[in-house]
Amino acid sequence: MQIAPKKAVAIEFTLKDDEGEVLDTSEGREPLTYIHGIGTLVPGLEKALEGKSVGDSIAVTLTPEEAYGPRDERFVRNTPIRKLPEKKAQIGMRYRVDTDEGPLIFMITDIKGDYATVDANHPLAGMTLHFDVKVVEVRDATEEELTHGHIHGPGAHDHGHDHDHDHGH
């Protein structure tokens, strides 16, 4: 069976940056499971996996445009610390802000006096990414999985089965 839209896919992967530094990997964990064709993975990786079968391995290099996009300096701003949801601001701290364009995750990247520099760019934005991927499972996604947009059952990243993700229930 080949990877195509509406297939449930499990992959083992390692993600490295240009320097060969490992940024993320499924090694030592469950494979990553996703439904193909609904935008769970970055576009370039999903495109590279299209048509692959169990046992296939691919190595793919993605430009920022094929991955998390270029960095957007409009998403970087200085904010008075007193306006942050967290009074004890620390560099590296993340928090969610509802904006006109939907919720954004901001990360505090710098603190000077009473101001914090906050950045809503994805941490991997602007980076060329190197993926090594092995396909370990391909099957038809169930109706329920398609409705919910993620995989259920063994190998699913349910994190303790907390089903309160906004599914409109």
Side-chain angles (χ1 to χ4, degrees):
M1 186 179 282
Q2 293 184 322
I3 295 178
K6 297 190 175 172
K7 299 292 183 209
V9 183
I11 55 173
E12 289 171 353
F13 74 95
T14 298
L15 165 60
K16 295 178 179 167
D17 64 13
D18 274 338
E19 280 72 58
E21 185 88 22
V22 174
L23 303 173
D24 194 8
T25 179
S26 62
E27 208 171 302
R29 301 197 310 238
E30 292 286 332
L32 171 71
T33 53
Y34 78 99
I35 296 173
H36 195 76
I38 62 169
T40 309
L41 300 185
V42 294
L45 186 56
E46 199 156 272
K47 206 163 102 191
L49 284 165
E50 184 93 24
K52 299 290 181 276
S53 308
V54 170
D56 285 350
S57 292
I58 58 168
V60 57
T61 297
L62 303 180
T63 64
E65 287 68 28
E66 297 169 305
Y68 291 98
R71 281 184 57 79
D72 186 338
E73 292 311 315
R74 291 175 315 171
F75 286 151
V76 180
R77 53 183 69 144
N78 284 316
T79 305
I81 289 175
R82 62 188 166 76
K83 289 205 168 152
L84 296 178
E86 204 49 66
K87 294 300 167 239
K88 290 193 175 76
Q90 289 171 336
I91 292 176
M93 191 180 272
R94 294 166 184 273
Y95 60 93
R96 184 182 146 145
V97 176
D98 291 311
T99 70
D100 298 341
E101 293 154 31
L104 287 176
I105 302 291
F106 280 93
M107 184 161 107
I108 298 174
T109 54
D110 197 19
I111 294 175
K112 285 196 177 83
D114 294 335
Y115 284 81
T117 304
V118 295
D119 187 346
N121 282 291
H122 189 282
L124 301 176
M127 288 171 69
T128 298
L129 302 179
H130 304 270
F131 280 96
D132 284 303
V133 181
K134 182 175 182 204
V135 181
V136 290
E137 184 188 11
V138 182
R139 63 173 172 80
D140 291 319
T142 65
E143 280 306 311
E144 188 189 16
E145 288 168 342
L146 291 171
T147 309
H148 286 191
H150 60 241
I151 307 292
H152 298 271
H157 291 290
D158 268 355
H159 301 301
H161 304 288
D162 52 336
H163 286 293
D164 55 354
H165 311 305
D166 322 314
H167 287 315
H169 293 312

